[in-house]
Amino acid sequence: MTRSILITGGARSGKSRLAERRALAPCGRAIYIATAEIYEGDEEMASRIAEHRARRGECWQNLHAPRDLGAALRASDGELPRLVDCLTLWLTNLLLDDADWSAEVRALVQEIARQRAPVIFVSNEVGAGIVPENQLARSFRDAAGWMNQAVAEACDEVWLAVAGYPVKVKPNEHSF
């Protein structure tokens, strides 16, 4: 399996399912590094997370890393492939904490180069629509675009999910 992969795409494009299938392919087991946070009263997000967990089943080890993704990658770097889902939620958590997201992205890129076991990153492609009407949304869109570019450069492969199908963006010798 390729050492590092980025799978990006729009909302409900099938990117998580494609990433899950790819992560399990080598040995039928993998580590799921979740970045989502459930904020008080957010039943909709709690439902989404429960749906993801139920779909994944018992072949996954779960690790929660809403902010310190580098530490989670270091701690899980062993024999099993890892799936980080998703980078845009991780970025959201950093922005909500007023963290230096660009420094965190640079640190993540450095960490990707040090990984021995395969790692697959899922991220939303948010810049394909209209320019958002407010400054916060434009700032998030811009930060997500810069983050995706940096991670794509660091990864061996990049795939775009479209209607549940993978489209190769950055080639390597392996495929789905």
Side-chain angles (χ1 to χ4, degrees):
M1 180 177 183
T2 302
R3 199 169 48 93
S4 58
I5 300 167
L6 172 64
I7 300 176
T8 188
R12 300 289 183 231
S13 63
K15 58 193 173 295
S16 291
R17 287 179 195 243
L18 292 168
E20 290 166 8
R21 187 172 65 212
R22 183 73 184 260
L24 290 174
C27 63
R29 294 181 25 239
I31 298 171
Y32 189 94
I33 302 175
T35 62
E37 289 265 72
I38 302 174
Y39 294 98
E40 187 175 333
D42 192 349
E43 296 303 319
E44 188 266 344
M45 180 57 93
S47 176
R48 284 176 181 257
I49 290 171
E51 179 184 316
H52 266 252
R53 283 184 180 160
R55 184 181 73 230
R56 289 193 308 266
E58 298 295 319
C59 51
W60 292 90
Q61 294 176 27
N62 294 307
L63 183 59
H64 189 232
R67 286 167 192 79
D68 197 352
L69 193 48
L73 289 171
R74 286 187 297 279
S76 63
D77 195 9
E79 299 297 317
L80 292 177
R82 281 91 34 90
L83 169 56
V84 175
D85 196 354
C86 84
L87 289 177
T88 41
L89 286 176
W90 174 69
L91 177 66
T92 298
N93 297 335
L94 295 174
L95 290 168
L96 289 174
D97 282 352
D98 289 324
D100 183 350
W101 67 266
S102 59
E104 294 290 337
V105 168
R106 286 191 301 274
L108 175 61
V109 165
Q110 292 173 349
E111 194 59 49
I112 291 169
R114 291 190 286 265
Q115 297 299 295
R116 295 180 316 274
V119 61
I120 300 169
F121 298 94
V122 172
S123 189
N124 289 292
E125 191 60 45
V126 299
I130 62 171
V131 175
E133 69 177 44
N134 66 72
Q135 189 272 329
L136 177 61
R138 286 188 300 274
S139 294
F140 175 77
R141 180 219 39 205
D142 293 348
W146 291 117
M147 175 190 66
N148 285 346
Q149 288 184 54
V151 172
E153 178 67 25
C155 284
D156 300 316
E157 289 182 20
V158 177
W159 293 83
L160 175 66
V162 179
Y165 287 89
V167 177
K168 189 177 263 190
V169 176
K170 182 178 179 182
N172 199 340
E173 65 275 4
H174 305 289
S175 62
F176 281 90

